[in-house]
Amino acid sequence: MKLVIVESPTKVKTISKYLGKDYKVMASYGHIRDLAISGKDNLGVDIENNYTPVYEVYPRSKSTITKLKNAFEKSDEVLLATDPDREGEAISWHLAMTLNLDIDTTPRLDFNEITPFGIKNALENQRIIDMDLVHSQETRRIIDRILGFKLSSLLQSKIKSKSAGRVQSAVLKLICDKEKEISEFIPKEYWNIYAILDDDKIKAKLIKVDGELPKINNEQEALDIIKRIGDKLVVVERKTEEKEYYARPPFTTSSLQQEAFNHLGFSAKKTMKIAQELYEGVDTGKGYQGIITYMRTDSYRLSPIFINSAKKQIEELYGANYVGKAYSHKSDEKIQDAHEGIRPTNAGITPKSIKDKLSKDQYKLYGLIYARALASMMKPRVQENTTYLLESNNLFFELSGVKIKFKGYSKLYSAFEKSIEEKVYPYNEKEILEIKSIEKEQKFTTPPSRFSEARLVKTMEELGIGRPSTYASTIDILLNRGYISEKKGYITPTKQGMLTSDKLSEFFTKIVDAKYTAELEKQLDEVAIGKIKELDVLKDFDSEFQNQLDYAILNMQEVEATKTGENCPVCGKPLIEKRGKFGDFIGCSGYPDCTFIKKIEKEIPENAKVCPKCGQGKLVVRKGKYGTFLACNRYPECDYKESFKKKSFYSKKK
C-alpha cells in the first residue's frame, strides 16, 4: 500500500476514489509545525547562529502526526501531495522532517486539478521536494517573525497598537495615504454644456472653445458661452472606425478576487474560500471531483488539452465563427506561472448543468470562472465607432455613435461587463443640424475614491506588495486588528490605524514603503529559483531593520491613554480606554494593582432583537476567541448567546 498525504480532508474523499484500493490518502490539515515561540525575544530563530530556525509541532497536529506515522509504518511508500505552491512545498518538507522521510527520494506530486486526468498526470510526473521553494518560504517566515514580533512589541508599548507586519504595514500606509488625499481635497466648480439636437434628447458635448479645451468655472461663464452658440450646428467632421475589443485573459488569483468583488460582491476572503471548495471537489452527480484548477496562480496559460475541448464547446454553443485563439504565455514569468490560469477542469461541465449540485455562492463563482475562461478563447467583439465633430461660431461639440457588428466573446461574457448601448446617427459631413435646446450642467471635481477590496488587491498586485496567496489574508488581518473598517465594500482607516501608519512612516520609512516591500518579494522569488541565498537576504533585511528599531525604541514617544472622565468604582483612579485581544474596553489606570474593567457599549439599534432568555436585554454583536456571535447586552446578569446571522440580527419592522 502507498500512503498519499494531502493538506485538506476534503481532498481525501475525491482523490481516494480515483487512486483505488492500493493507495491510502490522509490529510495533514495544513501546516503541522511552525517557528517555536522560544529563545531570545521568543523569535524561534537563532539569529547569532546564521538565523537558524527552531520549529515545533502545533499542539493540534500531534494526533494527526501520530496517525500519519502509524500509516507510514504500514506503507510501502509515501507520496507527498500538498498544494502546488510555496506554502505547499514547505508543508511537504515539514512532513518529511517530522516523519523522517528522505527528501532526496520521497516522491512529490503536483495536483493542478483534482480530476482523473490531473491525478494521472501527477503520478506520471513525480518529482522530489524543491528545496529552493522551501528556502524561499522559510526566509519569508523568518523575516515576518522577526519584524512582526519586534515591531508589534514596540507598537504595543508605545501606542497600544496590536501588531505590525511586513506586508500589512505597507498596505495600511496605502489606505491611510488615500484617506489623507480625500481629507485634504478641495473641490473645484466646473460646468459642462450640451447641445440637444432633437426630441430624442441626442446630446452633443462642448469639447473646445476657440481651439482650446473649455474651462468653465462658474455659471456666468457658461451663460456667456451659450450666447455664442446660435441655433444651428454644422457637421465639420465624421470619423468612422471599426475596432476589435478582445476578451480579457483567464483569471489569475488577483483578477478573480477583483471581479468576484465587482460583480458578485464577494470579499477576497470569501472568494478564496469558495474557490478552494470548487478546487477540492464537489458532487457533480457523477461523483466528487474538482471543477476548477488550482486557484493560487500568477499565470493565465491554459493547457492545450483544455484549449481544444473548450474550442469544441464554444463551437457547439455559438458556432465556428465565434472560436478564437487562446492567450499566449506570460513573458514576465513568476514562480507560480508553473500553474495554469484558473479555469474549469472540464469545459463540458457548464454552470447550468450542475446548478442543483452547488450552493448559491459556488454556482455564482463557478459561472464567473467558466465564462471568463471560455470567453478568453472567443473572437473579439467588433464595433463600428463613429465620432461627429459639430461646430458653431468656433465652438466645437462632439457626438459619439456605436454599432455592434459582431458580438464575439460578449455573446458569453456580457453578464460580467458593462452593457453597450447602440447609438446610430444618420448625420453626414457639412450637414446642418438644428439645435432644439441648450443644457448647462454644474459639476464639482470629486476626491479620490476610497479603496474597495477589488481596487486594493489590484494596487497590491501592481506595486508587487505580497503575493496572490496573501492578498485576502492581509486585508483580513487589518480588519481584525481594528486598523481599518469596511462599509458598503469600501475601506476606511480607523483612528488607531492612522496612528499606527503615521508612527511606522516616521520611524520605519523603508519598511512601509511599497517599493522596498516589492523588492523584498523579488528577492524571495530569486531565492525560490536558487539565484540568491537565503542567508544573504536575511542578513541584509535584519541589519537595516535593527538600526531603525533601535532608533525608534529611544525616540518614539508613548501615546497617553485616553481618559473617559470617570473614576474607577473600585480604587478611585481615572478610567481609561484600552485595547485588548477581543477589542476596545475601559479599564482602570491603576492596573495591575487594580484590575477593574468594563465593556464599551455601542449604541444599540432600536430594532435589535429582544433577548429570548431574560426578555429585558437586547442582542448585540460580540467578538470572541472563535469568532462573532450575538449575546445579551445585560451580561453577566444574563448569559444568553447565539450564533451570529446578519439576517436575523434585527427584528422585522412591523
Side-chain angles (χ1 to χ4, degrees):
M1 182 192 74
K2 295 182 179 182
L3 174 64
V4 178
I5 304 176
V6 297
E7 287 182 44
S8 164
T10 308
K11 293 181 188 176
V12 172
K13 182 191 296 184
T14 311
I15 295 172
S16 295
K17 183 186 70 173
Y18 296 136
L19 289 177
K21 62 182 181 179
D22 294 332
Y23 292 83
K24 181 176 180 62
V25 185
M26 298 181 70
S28 71
Y29 293 85
H31 278 278
I32 59 168
R33 65 178 191 171
D34 193 11
L35 293 174
I37 303 177
S38 61
K40 187 178 179 181
D41 298 322
N42 291 325
L43 295 176
V45 179
D46 188 349
I47 293 176
E48 285 72 24
N49 187 22
N50 288 333
Y51 299 86
T52 302
V54 179
Y55 292 106
E56 65 180 8
V57 172
Y58 289 119
R60 61 171 169 78
S61 297
K62 289 181 178 178
S63 62
T64 299
I65 291 171
T66 299
K67 292 175 184 177
L68 290 173
K69 283 183 175 179
N70 290 337
F72 167 49
E73 290 173 1
K74 300 174 184 176
S75 303
D76 301 318
E77 186 180 25
V78 177
L79 298 92
L80 300 172
T82 51
D83 284 349
D85 58 15
R86 221 174 293 192
E87 289 296 321
E89 206 70 18
I91 293 172
S92 279
W93 178 73
H94 284 295
L95 284 165
M97 294 297 97
T98 306
L99 299 175
N100 294 318
L101 304 175
D102 186 345
I103 61 172
D104 294 323
T105 58
T106 301
R108 171 84 167 94
L109 306 181
D110 281 334
F111 295 146
N112 187 54
E113 58 182 76
I114 302 178
T115 60
F117 170 80
I119 292 169
K120 180 175 180 290
N121 187 59
L123 289 170
E124 291 174 352
N125 294 278
Q126 298 177 24
R127 58 178 178 84
I128 59 173
I129 295 171
D130 185 334
M131 289 307 298
D132 286 332
L133 277 180
V134 173
H135 290 149
S136 177
Q137 189 276 344
E138 186 174 62
T139 306
R140 179 195 299 273
R141 188 71 192 98
I142 292 172
I143 288 174
D144 287 348
R145 171 59 68 86
I146 292 171
L147 187 147
F149 271 34
K150 291 187 175 183
L151 206 50
S152 297
S153 178
L154 172 73
L155 294 182
Q156 287 166 9
S157 65
K158 297 286 189 178
I159 62 173
K160 307 299 185 284
S161 283
K162 291 181 179 178
S163 70
R166 180 177 58 87
V167 176
Q168 75 183 64
S169 297
V171 175
L172 179 60
K173 186 177 187 300
L174 290 176
I175 297 167
C176 292
D177 285 351
K178 180 72 70 177
E179 194 66 23
K180 289 174 183 176
E181 283 184 57
I182 294 169
S183 64
E184 293 168 2
F185 180 83
I186 300 173
K188 293 182 179 179
E189 180 182 9
Y190 69 97
W191 289 71
N192 290 327
I193 294 175
Y194 300 92
I196 312 303
L197 300 180
D198 64 16
D199 295 334
D200 291 328
K201 299 291 183 183
I202 296 176
K203 297 168 71 170
K205 184 180 180 180
L206 178 70
I207 61 165
K208 280 188 179 180
V209 177
D210 299 325
E212 302 288 337
L213 294 175
K215 295 179 181 179
I216 310 171
N217 301 311
N218 54 58
E219 186 174 21
Q220 186 56 54
E221 291 180 6
L223 291 171
D224 291 342
I225 290 174
I226 288 172
K227 289 177 184 177
R228 290 178 52 185
I229 295 175
D231 59 1
K232 290 181 173 59
L233 288 172
V234 178
V235 181
V236 295
E237 186 179 83
R238 169 180 168 166
K239 283 185 178 179
T240 299
E241 177 189 26
E242 191 169 277
K243 189 173 180 181
E244 294 181 337
Y245 295 84
Y246 288 84
R248 285 178 289 178
F251 283 127
T252 61
T253 304
S254 61
S255 60
L256 175 63
Q257 291 173 3
Q258 293 166 45
E259 291 298 278
F261 176 86
N262 291 331
H263 296 294
L264 307 177
F266 291 176
S267 67
K269 181 180 179 181
K270 180 176 181 178
T271 297
M272 295 309 290
K273 177 180 178 295
I274 298 169
Q276 184 87 31
E277 294 166 357
L278 299 176
Y279 164 69
E280 290 183 350
V282 297
D283 183 2
T284 62
K286 298 178 181 179
Y288 273 81
Q289 76 171 70
I291 58 173
I292 67 168
T293 52
Y294 193 57
M295 63 285 159
R296 294 186 180 91
T297 176
D298 290 334
S299 174
Y300 47 66
R301 173 180 55 82
L302 299 177
S303 76
I305 294 174
F306 177 77
I307 291 171
N308 290 334
S309 65
K311 285 183 176 181
K312 290 178 183 177
Q313 184 73 9
I314 293 166
E315 182 175 355
E316 184 179 321
L317 291 172
Y318 304 109
N321 58 327
Y322 278 88
V323 179
K325 295 180 180 179
Y327 267 78
S328 59
H329 199 283
K330 270 188 177 180
S331 58
D332 180 20
E333 292 189 17
K334 296 178 183 178
I335 302 307
Q336 292 181 344
D337 197 53
H339 311 310
E340 294 182 56
I342 304 170
R343 62 163 175 83
T345 55
N346 184 341
I349 303 178
T350 65
K352 187 177 179 180
S353 69
I354 56 169
K355 184 176 182 179
D356 61 339
K357 303 295 181 182
L358 304 177
S359 70
K360 187 177 179 181
D361 287 341
Q362 286 175 337
Y363 174 72
K364 287 180 179 179
L365 192 65
Y366 181 65
L368 179 63
I369 292 169
Y370 186 93
R372 179 69 166 248
L374 265 69
S376 73
M377 286 178 280
M378 295 175 70
K379 283 187 177 175
R381 182 179 73 247
V382 181
Q383 285 181 203
E384 186 178 87
N385 299 327
T386 304
T387 303
Y388 301 86
L389 189 63
L390 317 173
E391 186 266 341
S392 174
N393 297 323
N394 214 25
L395 302 173
F396 291 86
F397 292 77
E398 186 178 70
L399 185 66
S400 297
V402 177
K403 183 178 181 181
I404 306 296
K405 303 278 286 186
F406 178 65
K407 288 186 177 181
Y409 78 89
S410 293
K411 185 85 170 177
L412 172 60
Y413 205 68
S414 59
F416 304 110
E417 60 184 4
K418 189 176 180 181
S419 61
I420 300 166
E421 182 182 355
E422 285 197 281
K423 295 178 181 178
V424 181
Y425 306 115
Y427 308 138
N428 298 307
E429 286 190 6
K430 299 183 180 180
E431 186 174 348
I432 298 174
L433 307 176
E434 182 181 350
I435 298 174
K436 299 292 184 180
S437 62
I438 301 291
E439 279 187 11
K440 63 183 190 300
E441 177 186 43
Q442 184 187 33
K443 303 280 284 185
F444 291 91
T445 55
T446 57
S449 298
R450 289 188 174 93
F451 283 111
S452 64
E453 279 202 21
R455 285 188 61 235
L456 185 57
V457 165
K458 184 178 182 182
T459 303
M460 290 169 69
E461 181 185 33
E462 290 172 346
L463 295 176
I465 301 175
R467 278 292 174 260
S469 59
T470 65
Y471 297 154
S473 60
T474 298
I475 296 170
D476 203 40
I477 287 170
L478 292 174
L479 284 165
N480 290 334
R481 296 293 183 267
Y483 292 158
I484 62 173
S485 61
E486 191 170 8
K487 189 174 183 181
K488 295 183 178 179
Y490 288 91
I491 296 169
T492 306
T494 62
K495 182 180 177 181
Q496 193 67 27
M498 292 290 283
L499 173 63
T500 303
S501 184
D502 287 345
K503 290 298 180 184
L504 288 172
S505 296
E506 181 181 354
F507 291 95
F508 298 90
T509 308
K510 201 165 183 180
I511 295 296
V512 298
D513 180 65
K515 289 182 180 178
Y516 172 77
T517 307
E519 179 58 33
L520 193 53
E521 290 290 352
K522 185 179 178 182
Q523 290 178 24
L524 292 171
D525 286 345
E526 290 176 340
V527 172
I529 57 175
K531 190 174 181 180
I532 58 177
K533 296 297 182 183
E534 177 179 4
L535 187 58
D536 293 336
V537 177
L538 290 170
K539 283 180 176 179
D540 289 346
F541 160 78
D542 193 35
S543 174
E544 184 153 14
F545 171 66
Q546 193 61 49
N547 288 335
Q548 295 179 71
L549 181 66
D550 292 341
Y551 179 80
I553 290 171
L554 292 174
N555 295 281
M556 187 184 291
Q557 298 296 312
E558 289 190 30
V559 175
E560 188 176 341
T562 303
K563 295 180 180 179
T564 66
E566 300 175 280
N567 291 327
C568 175
V570 177
C571 71
K573 290 184 179 179
L575 293 179
I576 56 175
E577 293 181 8
K578 292 190 172 188
R579 295 175 63 80
K581 188 176 181 180
F582 302 119
D584 297 344
F585 65 96
I586 293 171
C588 181
S589 59
Y591 180 85
D593 296 327
C594 179
T595 57
F596 174 80
I597 62 169
K598 71 173 183 177
K599 291 183 176 69
I600 297 176
E601 291 292 351
K602 295 180 180 179
E603 185 177 344
I604 302 171
E606 290 183 7
N607 58 341
K609 289 173 66 175
V610 175
C611 175
K613 184 174 182 179
C614 69
Q616 300 177 46
K618 294 288 187 74
L619 297 187
V620 295
V621 179
R622 300 285 193 208
K623 285 188 177 180
K625 184 177 181 180
Y626 302 106
T628 305
F629 61 95
L630 292 178
C632 181
N633 71 315
R634 294 181 62 246
Y635 180 86
E637 287 82 6
C638 176
D639 61 359
Y640 179 79
K641 61 183 179 181
E642 64 179 55
S643 60
F644 177 58
K645 294 179 181 178
K646 288 183 179 179
K647 291 182 179 180
S648 63
F649 180 25
Y650 301 112
S651 57
K652 294 181 180 179
K653 292 181 179 180
K654 294 181 179 180

